[in-house]
Amino acid sequence: PDVTINLGDWLEINPTISVTGSYEFTWIPFDGLSCTECLRPIAQPLETTTYTLSIVDEHNCTVIDEMTITVEPYYPVYIPNVFTPNGDGINDIFYILSDGEGLAFVKYFKVFDRWGELVYEGENFNPNNADYGWDGTFMGKPMDNAVFVYIAEVEFLDGTKKVLKGDVTLVK
């Protein structure tokens, strides 16, 4: 049956074969498949794709079936609005998060104070990585409680780019 998945998700294509004896099979297209030589590949298309499985048995009889995987655009990005860089190991870093696999990478992430001074900048990194987040310091010194603004550009697996803007409150 045809199925719908979110961008970045995957599924195993599991055809039911009733052919007896020897047979050869072909998957078309190959894009988004984990392998073309296996009968049950993992599919992770970046756009809606119709996969065709062609089976030829030992008597040269051919059976063809199709399955359409509809890919829904899914842009899962979460940027917190508060963080507490107080050294307790909980919520100490302000960074970009994503659930699912749809977010490919962060092109840039900048944080500014209320006077517009750049206090943090990161470029070309994967989401969900606290190593590429702001620790609440500027020039090696902890910042006071305040509201900061951020801007980030992110790119998703399908090539879609989004600019995200907002504010974050630093609370100790």
Side-chain angles (χ1 to χ4, degrees), residues 66-110:
E66 295 181 339
M67 173 187 192
T68 299
I69 300 176
T70 302
V71 179
E72 293 288 328
Y74 179 58
Y75 304 123
V77 179
Y78 173 70
I79 302 177
N81 60 0
V82 176
F83 79 118
T84 59
N86 56 12
D88 67 357
I90 301 170
N91 201 24
D92 285 335
I93 306 293
F94 175 56
Y95 62 103
I96 297 177
L97 301 160
S98 175
D99 64 342
E101 301 294 325
L103 181 56
F105 70 98
V106 179
K107 293 186 75 162
Y108 65 82
F109 182 38
K110 299 177 182 182

Side-chain angles (χ1 to χ4, degrees), residues 130-150:
D131 291 340
Y132 292 96
W134 181 43
D135 64 0
T137 63
F138 179 59
M139 297 177 71
K141 297 181 182 177
M143 300 292 289
D144 291 330
N145 292 347
V147 176
F148 297 83
V149 295
Y150 66 83

Side-chain angles (χ1 to χ4, degrees), residues 107-163:
K107 293 186 75 162
Y108 65 82
F109 182 38
K110 299 177 182 182
V111 180
F112 301 88
D113 66 15
R114 64 182 172 177
W115 296 282
E117 187 166 15
L118 181 67
V119 297
Y120 171 78
E121 180 175 27
E123 294 181 338
N124 299 318
F125 58 90
N126 294 324
N128 302 320
N129 188 341
D131 291 340
Y132 292 96
W134 181 43
D135 64 0
T137 63
F138 179 59
M139 297 177 71
K141 297 181 182 177
M143 300 292 289
D144 291 330
N145 292 347
V147 176
F148 297 83
V149 295
Y150 66 83
I151 184 169
E153 183 177 355
V154 297
E155 186 168 336
F156 297 89
L157 289 176
D158 66 355
T160 299
K161 297 176 185 175
K162 290 191 180 271
V163 174

Side-chain angles (χ1 to χ4, degrees), residues 10-45:
W10 59 270
L11 65 93
E12 180 181 22
I13 300 177
N14 194 6
T16 302
I17 307 295
S18 58
V19 177
T20 58
S22 63
Y23 58 88
E24 294 181 13
F25 62 89
T26 307
W27 286 104
I28 298 175
F30 308 127
D31 296 341
L33 294 180
S34 61
C35 65
T36 57
E37 299 83 29
C38 55
L39 190 57
R40 292 173 175 77
I42 302 295
Q44 189 176 24

